[in-house]
Amino acid sequence: MLKIVVMVSGGGTNLQAIIDGVRDGKIMNTQIAGVISNNRNAYALKRAEENGIPSCCVSPKDYESREIFNGKLMEAVDSYEPDLIVLAGFLVVIPPEMIEKYRNRMINIHPSLIPSFCGKGFYGLKVHEAALERGVKVVGATVHFVDEGTDTGPIILQKAVEVQQGDTPEVLQRRVMEQAEWIILPRAIDLIAGGKVRVEGRKTVISE
Ligand code: GAR
């Protein structure tokens, strides 16, 4: 059984896709051990509560320094003894010691086709604003392992989505979630739970 911790900051629609995936059998052999938010008001926490999943909030605002916050965040993660950490819209910089400890055991969903529209400053709606501003015709989402860089770790899955005439950032964001994120994030967890994802250098090899 793969024990996962899901880290969130906002609405938690990706968390919901994981909860639904576990319930519907699209994600096999997986248990959501806990949900951690940096934001007390995140709707994602409500989703956890409604589904009987243990959760907690660790906010940088509650601590005097980043070091103390990082320590508390690590403690919270470790307390669930996860096999895999899933960053599902978690918008806080991950402490370096956590990246080291959970190397190849922490994944992130990013709302673009990496290496486009990723890296520092590209998160949430900003990604879709930048894509529309550049006029690309195809966008998408990526699930990748987390390393020391921003959105630079080995890519696990990607899915493309077409831009349509008249798209606003909000409309495009929703389409990318529906047609890509909510599909590839549960699928990536299922593949990892099934032992089908191997990291080889900068890449992953998937055995379906
Ligand atoms: C998602 O679109 C996710 O890809 C993005 O935040 C949103 C969270 O939505 N993550 C990033 O931009 C990370 N760089 P949710 O809370 O409804 O899942």
Side-chain angles (χ1 to χ4, degrees):
M1 188 67 98
L2 187 82
K3 271 175 81 175
I4 68 171
V5 159
V6 185
M7 299 181 71
V8 295
S9 298
T13 63
N14 279 288
L15 168 65
Q16 190 66 53
I18 298 167
I19 293 170
D20 295 347
V22 169
R23 190 192 49 224
D24 300 346
K26 286 201 176 116
I27 306 174
M28 304 279 281
N29 204 28
T30 296
Q31 180 211 346
I32 309 173
V35 169
I36 298 173
S37 174
N38 63 301
N39 167 12
R40 208 167 297 284
N41 299 316
Y43 189 69
L45 285 174
K46 189 122 191 110
R47 296 181 194 271
E49 190 188 324
E50 279 168 3
N51 288 278
I53 301 164
S55 66
C56 66
C57 171
V58 186
S59 166
K61 291 182 192 148
D62 294 338
Y63 302 101
E64 268 169 40
S65 71
R66 201 67 188 190
E67 287 66 39
I68 301 177
F69 164 73
N70 284 351
K72 294 288 173 189
L73 194 64
M74 275 288 271
E75 265 177 39
V77 169
D78 290 346
S79 72
Y80 294 114
E81 299 183 336
D83 301 308
L84 181 74
I85 300 172
V86 180
L87 306 182
F90 189 65
L91 302 181
V92 172
V93 176
I94 300 297
E97 54 270 33
M98 194 154 129
I99 295 173
E100 180 67 43
K101 178 164 183 181
Y102 289 94
R103 191 172 302 283
N104 299 337
R105 291 191 294 142
M106 175 162 29
I107 64 173
N108 178 49
I109 177 87
H110 183 75
S112 80
L113 293 174
I114 291 173
S116 285
F117 307 111
C118 63
K120 241 183 160 177
F122 286 102
Y123 60 88
L125 212 51
K126 288 182 192 292
V127 173
H128 307 289
E129 284 166 0
L132 288 177
E133 204 266 322
R134 183 61 183 84
V136 293
K137 306 302 180 203
V138 176
V139 291
T142 302
V143 182
H144 62 93
F145 283 109
V146 175
D147 69 6
E148 277 74 9
T150 308
D151 306 323
T152 54
I155 291 170
I156 304 166
L157 292 176
Q158 294 187 298
K159 193 166 186 295
V161 174
E162 281 187 18
V163 178
Q164 289 174 17
Q165 289 275 346
D167 271 350
T168 62
E170 290 80 6
V171 167
L172 186 58
Q173 179 181 48
R174 181 76 191 180
R175 190 178 313 117
V176 169
M177 284 176 158
E178 281 176 3
Q179 295 184 8
E181 296 184 41
W182 301 342
I183 298 165
I184 62 173
L185 185 57
R187 191 179 292 157
I189 296 168
D190 181 59
L191 286 170
I192 292 169
K196 293 179 176 153
V197 181
R198 199 172 73 244
V199 177
E200 273 187 12
R202 287 192 67 196
K203 305 177 188 174
T204 67
V205 179
I206 315 277
S207 49
E208 296 264 6

